[in-house]
Amino acid sequence: MTSHEPLGHESCGDRGAAPAYDAVVLAGGAARRLGGADKPGLRVGGRALLDRVLAACADARTTVVVADARPTARPVRWAREDPPGGGPLAALGAGLHHTTAEELVVLSADLPFLGAATVRQLLAALRASGTDGALLTDADGRDQPLVAAYRTPALRRELAALSTGHGGLTGLPLRRLTAALDLTRVQDPVAAFDCDTWDDIASARARIREHGHVLDEWISAAKDELGIDLDVDIHALLDVARDAAHSVARPAAPLTTFLVGYAAAQAGGSPEAVAEAARKVSALALRWAEEDAGDKPDDASGTRPDAG
């Protein structure tokens, strides 16, 4: 078992009242059904599949990616099974070696629609059930053990037993592990969708461009690209753009939203700063429109208000 130095540093921070969890992301498969393509690096919605999965578990105390090191949108710790290509159980064992939390989220790196809400749902199901793990099922009801939350001691126990019984974990199928665990199932066919073929990649790319998804997908991609970790009220910003376009001129919309962002950054860059800047500019746009309306003739003769 070997490990690589991280390109950045492992993620940690204040998790509030929720128990800390670690995450292991398996990203070292051969992708044979994709002709050996670099699957974790394939882009859906402008973001690598691996980066999309890493965003879903961004609040993990430590995130370990089992694969050869590469640039990622957020810092992680790198590990590799020995020998490389030993299969998912060997990869899980290599990642588990670098974790310490009592709860572990285990994810594959090819889940384009996985979000933080699903990760929280899995952890909540694990904590409520008292079982060894909670995993997603796909659209056909099949278990997805690489979209799951587990109790770390249970994983360590069963992986150690399998390793002892088989002289190691290399080449062992995941069902050897899941068969030995008491598991809770959570249904979420969309989040469980994984990309094994080029048709899957095409379907994922088409879905995020649908009307109901494209805006959120674009904003998420843009924040990742800019290195921004900020939740803002998108509808408020859209209202500002609409008010500026309607009350002033169409080119005012993008310029105004830029100024809102700049002002918010000057004020500390918090969601509250964005909301306050948006409120001020929206009010200004409405005052602008009211003044413009007041300057228009009030009758056919062209007489202006207060013209004596």
Side-chain angles (χ1 to χ4, degrees):
M1 183 183 302
T2 59
S3 64
H4 299 273
E5 289 299 316
L7 296 185
H9 57 276
E10 55 192 290
S11 60
C12 59
D14 183 7
R15 301 294 169 249
Y21 76 93
D22 291 337
V24 170
V25 180
L26 307 188
R32 293 183 180 87
R33 296 172 68 185
L34 286 165
D38 174 24
K39 182 162 65 169
L42 293 177
R43 296 185 179 277
V44 173
R47 290 188 291 166
L49 284 172
L50 175 56
D51 284 336
R52 297 178 73 90
V53 172
L54 292 177
C57 59
D59 61 346
R61 184 173 66 185
T62 297
T63 298
V64 184
V65 180
V66 186
D68 292 332
R70 65 170 72 211
T72 51
R74 53 173 284 243
V76 298
R77 174 170 290 193
W78 297 92
R80 201 71 168 105
E81 71 273 26
D82 186 14
L89 279 191
L92 178 55
L96 192 62
H97 179 71
H98 298 281
T99 65
T100 57
E102 291 293 301
E103 296 171 345
L104 185 73
V105 170
V106 177
L107 305 169
S108 60
D110 60 353
L111 303 164
F113 306 129
L114 181 71
T118 300
V119 171
R120 290 193 295 268
Q121 184 182 17
L122 286 168
L123 288 165
L126 174 68
R127 293 161 187 164
S129 67
T131 59
D132 295 326
L135 51 74
L136 289 194
T137 57
D138 66 14
D140 297 319
R142 292 173 299 204
D143 288 349
Q144 298 297 307
L146 297 184
V147 199
Y150 297 99
R151 298 191 192 280
T152 307
L155 283 186
R156 295 190 194 281
R157 179 189 71 233
E158 297 304 331
L159 286 176
L162 286 169
S163 181
T164 299
H166 297 273
L169 298 174
T170 299
L172 293 182
L174 271 170
R175 64 177 178 272
R176 292 290 183 91
L177 174 65
T178 55
L181 297 173
D182 180 20
L183 299 172
T184 295
R185 273 77 183 176
V186 176
Q187 293 185 333
D188 192 338
V190 174
F193 179 88
D194 56 2
C195 292
D196 290 327
T197 68
W198 287 112
D199 284 344
D200 293 337
I201 294 290
S203 295
R205 287 171 172 170
R207 185 181 188 277
I208 66 167
R209 284 167 171 77
E210 294 173 359
H211 176 70
H213 308 286
V214 65
L215 183 58
D216 286 339
E217 288 287 348
W218 168 251
I219 295 299
S220 295
K223 288 196 297 185
D224 278 358
E225 190 71 17
L226 295 170
I228 298 172
D229 183 16
L230 176 68
D231 290 326
V232 297
D233 187 342
I234 293 173
H235 296 293
L237 291 179
L238 290 176
D239 286 344
V240 169
R242 180 204 62 204
D243 291 342
H246 178 73
S247 303
V248 184
R250 280 192 175 276
L255 294 171
T256 301
T257 51
F258 165 78
L259 292 173
V260 165
Y262 187 84
Q266 293 284 78
S270 68
E272 293 76 17
V274 176
E276 178 62 12
R279 183 195 64 77
K280 288 180 177 180
V281 174
S282 184
L284 173 63
L286 293 177
R287 294 198 303 271
W288 186 290
E290 289 170 359
E291 290 179 10
D292 187 49
D295 281 342
K296 292 179 181 177
D298 62 354
D299 57 37
S301 66
T303 303
R304 296 180 181 273
D306 302 325

